Amino acid sequence: MEARQFTNRCACGWEISGPEDIVVDATIEHGRRIHNMEATREQVLAVLQASAGAEPALTPGDAPE
């Protein structure tokens, strides 16, 4: 089974796609290096999008009941 792929886009035009850990780490590094901003893993996970063709990422309101 292939790992879920995620995409994250920054307002500056930067974009990253790949497995969750790669996207989260790259996003944190991008924010730190380019925008002098610190983000936590949880903050990045809250805005990740599943890539096209992948199963959509759940948002807090989408959790199964």
Side-chain angles (χ1 to χ4, degrees):
M1 184 171 161
E2 191 173 321
R4 281 178 69 181
Q5 298 292 299
F6 293 88
T7 298
N8 199 10
R9 293 176 187 90
C10 182
C12 75
W14 177 86
E15 183 176 321
I16 181 82
S17 293
E20 181 179 290
D21 286 340
I22 300 295
V23 172
V24 170
D25 292 345
T27 299
I28 291 170
E29 179 60 23
H30 171 76
R32 183 180 297 136
R33 191 169 45 85
I34 302 301
H35 302 294
N36 197 31
M37 296 174 68
E38 289 293 328
T40 66
R41 180 173 179 78
E42 290 74 25
Q43 289 170 320
V44 174
L45 288 171
V47 298
L48 282 187
Q49 302 172 10
S51 295
E55 178 182 327
L58 291 177
T59 60
D62 292 338
E65 296 181 19

